[in-house]
Amino acid sequence: MSEKDNQAKEVKDRQQNKQMTDAYYEEKAQNHAEIVSWIASAEKELADLRLRKTLLEDNFSDLLREYRRLIITDAAISTVAKTSLLAYLTYELLQPLKDATLKQTETYNIWQAKYFLIKYQLTDKRELALNFKMNVIDSRFTANFMPLILLDLQEMTATVDESQVLELIRLWYSEKVFSRNQLSLINYDLNRLLANFKQLGFSVAPNLLDNTRALEVNLESEFPLETRILDNIFITTMDSTEYDFDKIGQADYQVKLNQEQKVYIHAKQNRTQLFVDSNSRRRSILDFFTHYPFFVPLIVRD
């Protein structure tokens, strides 16, 4: 073999060796990257498992802290961890209902209590909305979830949607979806929840559900004060020795009830205004209207 051929062979050998070396390091780098990726995935899964373990051990204060850290900030956590956190937190919020066989349904964000279902969901602002679907007295009726209570877990406020409270009254009075006794039991359990919210540190503004305060509330409907409704109130009150009905102005009326309670009625254009005074007697608007149903058509109708 000539010197020229030897040189060519050496060049070829060096190229082959280099290719083998390059392939070796490429494979090594690829394997390294895969292992780093596996470690990262395993560490992420392990961190998620530790978080879920911690959530199982936490009380309400700890769960609230984790909610603010993970949910309000929209942190990257697994779906399982997120749903677990929300489930444990809502159980603490609904805890007074546990004596009424409070349990989760097959739908992960719906709890079942004795008189209603509670569906919880996050709003765009990371507030927690509690929606209630009341049991009906007849299977021919249907009820929808009502957005009744909104919880701000950053500011620690609980807000009752009072339009939904009036809708409950309409469903009872006009649609006959609930019985009077059923509405009373629903009101009792909802007040147990409000009391628990207060105990957990929420600020609960005066509302139409609250039966721990006297009623001194102004209500206004979108309906005119119709003569037939006013006549029915007049007849009802005149038939009872405990009630009295007086016209006290051009478009103003006062109805005196038992226990020195009063209702003032005012006709204003195409609307009706009411002022309910329970004379320091603690009761909710649900309790008031179920005891004096002849006032209901002033506020809600079909």
Side-chain angles (χ1 to χ4, degrees):
M1 183 180 295
S2 66
E3 183 177 351
K4 184 177 181 180
D5 290 339
N6 286 333
Q7 290 176 348
K9 185 176 182 302
E10 289 177 2
V11 170
K12 184 177 180 181
D13 289 344
R14 284 198 298 272
Q15 289 176 340
Q16 288 178 341
N17 290 335
K18 183 177 184 303
Q19 288 175 352
M20 291 177 62
T21 302
D22 289 347
Y24 169 78
Y25 282 114
E26 285 177 3
E27 182 179 0
K28 185 177 180 182
Q30 182 179 350
N31 290 339
H32 180 272
E34 287 181 353
I35 291 175
V36 169
S37 176
W38 293 341
I39 290 173
S41 296
E43 288 177 342
K44 183 178 179 181
E45 184 176 353
L46 183 59
D48 191 72
L49 288 171
R50 285 176 176 148
L51 170 61
R52 289 160 59 187
K53 174 179 177 291
T54 300
L55 295 177
L56 286 168
E57 300 166 348
D58 284 348
N59 57 26
F60 176 77
S61 296
D62 297 326
L63 291 169
L64 177 61
R65 184 183 63 251
E66 292 301 304
Y67 182 96
R68 290 170 173 171
R69 183 175 72 90
L70 301 171
I71 304 299
I72 291 180
T73 62
D74 201 21
I77 58 174
S78 73
T79 301
V80 175
K82 183 177 182 179
T83 54
S84 296
L85 171 54
L86 292 175
Y88 303 151
L89 184 71
T90 53
Y91 179 81
E92 296 297 327
L93 294 168
L94 304 176
Q95 198 174 53
L97 305 180
K98 67 181 182 181
D99 62 353
T101 63
L102 178 68
K103 61 181 181 180
Q104 277 189 302
T105 64
E106 293 181 356
T107 305
Y108 78 93
N109 66 331
I110 297 180
W111 290 89
Q112 180 178 347
K114 189 172 184 179
Y115 302 115
F116 41 70
L117 298 174
I118 310 106
K119 179 170 67 175
Y120 59 89
Q121 57 191 100
L122 292 173
T123 69
D124 293 339
K125 296 180 179 179
R126 295 298 183 265
E127 298 164 322
L128 194 63
L130 300 182
N131 305 278
F132 294 78
K133 184 177 182 179
M134 314 303 175
N135 297 342
V136 296
I137 60 175
D138 191 317
S139 60
R140 293 175 299 175
F141 299 129
T142 58
N144 298 318
F145 278 101
M146 307 175 68
L148 197 56
I149 300 175
L150 186 66
L151 300 174
D152 185 328
L153 286 95
Q154 185 66 38
E155 300 296 328
M156 292 301 285
T157 60
T159 305
V160 174
D161 187 335
E162 298 193 333
S163 67
Q164 295 298 305
V165 179
L166 296 178
E167 175 64 7
L168 272 176
I169 295 170
R170 190 192 70 81
L171 290 171
W172 157 68
Y173 183 84
S174 300
E175 303 293 336
K176 313 299 181 188
V177 172
F178 316 121
S179 67
R180 171 182 166 178
N181 183 59
Q182 188 179 19
L183 202 60
S184 177
L185 294 170
I186 289 171
N187 188 43
Y188 174 74
D189 271 358
L190 291 175
N191 269 274
R192 291 205 291 166
L193 292 183
L194 294 180
N196 187 48
F197 299 159
K198 293 176 184 177
Q199 187 173 353
L200 292 174
F202 287 88
S203 172
V204 183
N207 60 81
L208 298 179
L209 274 182
D210 195 346
N211 63 9
T212 65
R213 302 171 183 264
L215 275 177
E216 292 183 358
V217 60
N218 286 295
L219 299 173
E220 181 174 286
S221 76
E222 299 177 353
F223 310 110
L225 180 58
E226 295 183 3
T227 302
R228 63 179 181 85
I229 296 174
L230 201 59
D231 287 346
N232 182 61
I233 295 173
F234 175 77
I235 293 170
T236 302
T237 55
M238 290 300 100
D239 284 344
S240 172
T241 57
E242 294 185 290
Y243 305 155
D244 199 7
F245 184 101
D246 295 306
K247 185 173 183 179
I248 56 176
Q250 185 65 28
D252 297 276
Y253 306 87
Q254 175 183 268
V255 181
K256 296 178 181 178
L257 303 170
N258 54 331
Q259 299 178 325
E260 298 185 6
Q261 299 176 99
K262 296 182 181 69
V263 175
Y264 298 92
I265 306 169
H266 174 65
K268 182 180 180 181
Q269 297 176 346
N270 290 323
R271 294 175 176 268
T272 303
Q273 294 179 329
L274 252 65
F275 178 72
V276 179
D277 179 4
S278 67
N279 186 37
S280 300
R281 181 180 179 183
R282 294 180 295 179
R283 64 191 322 175
S284 72
I285 204 68
L286 294 181
D287 180 51
F288 181 84
F289 276 126
T290 52
H291 278 81
Y292 310 106
F294 47 91
F295 289 118
V296 173
L298 296 171
I299 297 298
V300 293
R301 300 179 196 172
D302 295 342

